[in-house]
């Protein structure tokens, strides 16, 4: 009975997320906005491989990110900094924006944009992806394949 309740709840939550509206999500150590697959991002129409992540997808991506934050991959992408600015202590300070994709072989990719230290209201964060060039480690992004639990295409903004 408990298993059926969990499945029905998960389906309800995912169906809520699949609407045209950007959804606010908050979990342990993270908060942000999920953009549905139909949403135009950065002025471009949605790509055909777009996917609307559900809350479970975001939670899984966040766990993979948190568990990998001290990895060689994450450290090497911050090599421009003497002291690594992105770590387990600073990770929770970033507001996220999530875009989902599905690969040709059915793997789910979550692209996370992370921003901190700027004055942006909730309306701006839910209207379009905030992509700031330069600005240092306050603005970065990463892609996470939640099917294979791999991180890739990490972009930390440059030091001005």
């Amino acid at each position: 009975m408990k298993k059926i309740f969990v499945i029905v709840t998960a389906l309800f939550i995912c169906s809520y997320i699949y609407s045209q509206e950007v959804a606010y999500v908050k979990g342990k150590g993270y908060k942000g906005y999920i953009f549905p697959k139909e949403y135009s991002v950065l002025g471009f129409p949605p790509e055909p491989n777009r996917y609307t992540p559900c809350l479970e997808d975001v939670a899984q991506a966040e766990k993979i990110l948190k568990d990998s934050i001290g990895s060689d991959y994450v450290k090497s992408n911050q090599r421009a900094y003497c002291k690594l600015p992105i770590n387990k202590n600073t990770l929770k300070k970033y507001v996220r924006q999530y875009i989902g994709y599905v690969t040709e072989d059915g793997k789910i990719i979550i692209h996370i944009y992370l921003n901190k230290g700027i004055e942006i209201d909730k309306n701006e964060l839910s209207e379009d992806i905030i992509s700031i060039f330069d600005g240092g480690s306050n603005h970065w992004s990463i892609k996470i394949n939640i099917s294979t639990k791999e991180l890739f295409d990490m972009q930390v903004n440059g030091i001005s």
Side-chain angles (χ1 to χ4, degrees):
M1 184 69 175
K2 185 177 180 181
K3 195 174 194 176
I4 292 172
F5 176 75
V6 171
I7 291 170
V8 170
T9 303
L11 289 173
F12 176 77
I13 290 171
C14 283
S15 67
Y16 172 74
I17 297 296
Y18 280 101
S19 68
Q20 294 273 347
E21 297 288 320
V22 173
Y24 180 74
V25 61
K26 185 174 182 178
K28 186 174 181 175
Y30 65 92
K31 62 183 174 184
Y33 296 88
I34 300 172
F35 286 79
K37 69 179 182 178
E38 303 85 6
Y39 207 90
S40 175
V41 174
L42 297 172
F44 297 103
E47 300 95 332
N49 65 333
R50 283 276 299 278
Y51 165 79
T52 304
C54 64
L55 297 176
E56 290 81 13
D57 295 337
V58 170
Q60 190 174 1
E62 285 289 341
K63 180 177 180 353
I64 295 166
L65 178 59
K66 184 178 178 184
D67 292 347
S68 303
I69 203 71
S71 69
D72 289 339
Y73 176 75
V74 173
K75 288 179 182 178
S76 69
N77 278 286
Q78 301 180 68
R79 64 181 151 259
Y81 298 90
C82 295
K83 182 180 176 194
L84 301 180
I86 302 165
N87 56 54
K88 287 187 180 187
N89 294 326
T90 61
L91 190 59
K92 62 184 172 234
K93 296 178 182 178
Y94 291 88
V95 176
R96 280 89 149 145
Q97 295 175 299
Y98 305 94
I99 300 175
Y101 298 91
V102 177
T103 63
E104 288 181 7
D105 56 351
K107 292 183 172 56
I108 297 173
I109 309 294
I110 307 295
H111 191 167
I112 308 175
Y113 292 84
L114 298 99
N115 293 286
K116 75 170 185 160
I118 54 175
E119 293 295 323
I120 299 177
D121 66 18
K122 289 182 179 182
N123 289 335
E124 287 180 82
L125 286 167
S126 65
E127 289 175 358
D128 204 356
I129 294 298
I130 304 298
S131 183
I132 297 175
F133 300 102
D134 225 12
S137 64
N138 284 346
H139 315 286
W140 61 289
S141 69
I142 193 162
K143 293 179 182 171
I144 300 174
N145 183 327
I146 63 172
S147 303
T148 62
K149 297 183 168 104
E150 294 176 313
L151 289 80
F152 65 101
D153 199 18
M154 182 174 174
Q155 304 289 322
V156 180
N157 287 3
I159 302 171
S160 32

